[in-house]
Amino acid sequence: MTLADRSAVRGARRVVVKVGSSSISGDNVGAIEPLVDAMAEAHGRGVEIILVSSGAIATGMPFLRLSSRPTDLATQQAAAAVGQNLLVHRYQQSLDRFGIVAGQVLLTAGDLENPTHRSNAQRAMERLIGLRILPIVNENDTVATHEIRFGDNDRLAALVSILVKADALVLLSDVDAIYTRPPAEPGAERIAVVSDGSELDGVTFGASTSGVGTGGASTKVSAARLAASTGTGVLVTSTRRVAEALDGADIGTWFLPTPR
Ligand code: GLU
């Protein structure tokens, strides 16, 4: 299935939802519930939902008595090891309200390039989805650090979308769309659709400013273009609009997929 426009997200068979660290940790931990509500609604309609969630480091920080994100990699990895556990527990507690079971999947970009690891991951994902379990994917941070360094799981979400041949990828952050310039600046306009990429010419993107994750508009755009180039339609919007996104509303920035 190749989705012609964002309204078709509602009828998609398989959708990857990606959420960033700052959206679901710290003061925003309460956002897990509405996120789960929206995913459960789609799941209940028969949509196969896969969640790619960052937030292990941010969730682990208070347990290491850290008030800000650690700067050295080893401590980031330690925080992730502590936080991953609790992060999935929080999702499961919320999913319990709907009788949905989560399955934790920790992957590296390298796993998705190595043919044996890739086919193992693919088989496991297909079985989880077939069992109506909701896979929750994160980077395996103790052995890989790409997303810690470069993108708060944006690239991983694109690679997962390719792995499972998702019809759509919904990339969530604190900004509701990609804008022609940083959204706080005057004259910033929403880019509604990206088809061949020319819509992005001359656009400057900011990095993450949340202080707990690493993604930003530029990592979102490259992840979105990667997934769209392999047949997955990508919607970039904000976490609080996830229900509308899964309902096919005219929001965010839609990256038109290249037919598979
Ligand atoms: N996988 C990491 C996490 O879940 C990466 C995100 C980040 O840079 O904070 O915390």
Side-chain angles (χ1 to χ4, degrees):
M1 185 194 282
T2 301
L3 304 186
D5 62 73
R6 53 162 79 60
S7 66
V9 171
R10 191 180 158 83
R13 183 184 53 96
R14 186 170 286 185
V15 180
V16 174
V17 175
K18 187 261 160 178
V19 68
S21 302
S22 64
S23 300
I24 44 94
S25 66
D27 291 345
N28 289 333
V29 70
I32 289 181
E33 198 164 300
L35 170 65
V36 166
D37 290 343
M39 293 191 299
E41 197 275 331
H43 181 273
R45 282 192 273 118
V47 181
E48 296 165 347
I49 299 275
I50 295 109
L51 176 65
V52 176
S53 179
S54 306
I57 296 174
T59 302
M61 277 169 19
F63 296 90
L64 275 66
R65 298 206 170 78
L66 298 167
S67 53
S68 60
R69 183 180 166 93
T71 48
D72 72 291
L73 198 53
T75 311
Q76 290 171 348
Q77 291 174 300
V82 171
Q84 179 63 28
N85 199 22
L86 183 56
L87 181 63
V88 170
H89 176 69
R90 286 179 180 163
Y91 280 118
Q92 184 59 65
Q93 269 189 325
S94 192
L95 287 163
D96 280 348
R97 296 176 297 134
F98 303 94
I100 299 172
V101 175
Q104 172 180 269
V105 179
L106 299 179
L107 292 173
T108 69
D111 288 332
L112 299 176
E113 282 153 17
N114 172 308
T116 309
H117 291 192
R118 185 182 172 84
S119 70
N120 282 335
Q122 197 165 31
R123 186 177 51 232
M125 291 290 274
E126 290 298 336
R127 180 55 59 88
L128 285 167
I129 296 164
L131 291 166
R132 300 291 286 147
I133 288 167
L134 195 143
I136 301 181
V137 182
N138 196 356
E139 184 179 57
N140 190 353
D141 290 321
T142 48
V143 297
T145 56
H146 183 279
E147 303 294 339
I148 290 178
R149 292 166 194 250
F150 303 116
D152 206 18
N153 286 346
D154 291 323
R155 180 174 154 80
L156 184 67
L159 296 175
V160 167
S161 301
I162 297 168
L163 181 78
V164 301
K165 296 191 171 62
D167 304 311
L169 164 63
V170 179
L171 281 178
L172 301 170
S173 69
D174 49 359
V175 183
D176 72 337
I178 305 281
Y179 285 82
T180 49
R181 56 178 74 178
E185 288 182 16
E189 279 171 32
R190 166 189 167 212
I191 300 172
V193 178
V194 175
S195 51
D196 61 359
S198 62
E199 300 86 347
L200 300 167
D201 289 349
V203 174
T204 51
F205 301 114
S208 170
T209 52
S210 73
V212 292
T214 46
S218 75
T219 66
K220 263 167 203 74
V221 167
S222 37
R225 297 194 70 183
L226 173 62
S229 70
T230 59
T232 299
V234 183
L235 185 70
V236 175
T237 191
S238 61
T239 307
R240 59 180 187 80
R241 305 197 78 170
V242 59
E244 294 165 86
L246 292 175
D247 203 27
D250 180 15
I251 56 167
T253 300
W254 174 249
F255 289 74
L256 203 68
T258 308
R260 276 202 184 96

